[in-house]
């Protein structure tokens, strides 16, 4: 039989390349606790996250137009 599709995906929004210490700790904890599930980062199309990609190669990325990351109102539209 085929492989069962996961029933959940953990989605993490990231909108800036430099994460604070608490954000880095949160990401690390998320990977420890929820790492058995698929994890997807949603981000602006122009944002480069090489450091995160290198440290966590199992994360997938979904890019959206930069206009959705200009403020709370545009983020809510997304």
């Amino acid at each position: 039989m085929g492989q069962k599709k996961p029933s959940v995906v953990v989605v993490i929004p990231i909108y800036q390349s430099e994460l604070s210490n608490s954000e880095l700790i949160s990401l690390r904890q998320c990977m420890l606790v929820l790492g058995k599930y698929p994890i997807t980062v949603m981000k602006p199309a122009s944002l480069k996250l090489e450091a995160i990609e290198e440290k966590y190669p199992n994360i997938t990325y979904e890019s959206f137009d930069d206009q959705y990351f200009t403020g709370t109102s545009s983020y809510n539209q997304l």
Side-chain angles (χ1 to χ4, degrees):
M1 271 215 137
Q3 198 173 14
K4 186 178 177 184
K5 286 183 104 176
S7 60
V8 56
V9 173
V10 178
V11 177
I12 303 170
I14 298 179
Y15 60 91
Q16 56 190 5
S17 59
E18 297 284 328
L19 299 181
S20 69
N21 284 336
S22 60
E23 290 169 331
L24 290 171
I25 291 168
S26 179
L27 178 59
R28 183 176 58 229
Q29 186 67 11
C30 178
M31 296 304 293
L32 287 171
V33 175
L34 300 172
K36 68 181 179 179
Y37 299 104
I39 297 178
T40 298
V41 166
M42 59 178 267
K43 66 179 201 62
S46 66
L47 184 62
K48 306 295 184 218
L49 296 172
E50 291 92 0
I52 294 173
E53 291 173 4
E54 187 175 308
K55 186 165 183 153
Y56 302 107
N58 293 335
I59 292 178
T60 59
Y61 298 85
E62 191 72 34
S63 296
F64 296 90
D65 194 289
D66 290 4
Q67 73 176 358
Y68 291 112
F69 297 89
T70 60
T72 306
S73 178
S74 61
Y75 180 75
N76 286 338
Q77 289 176 2
L78 178 62

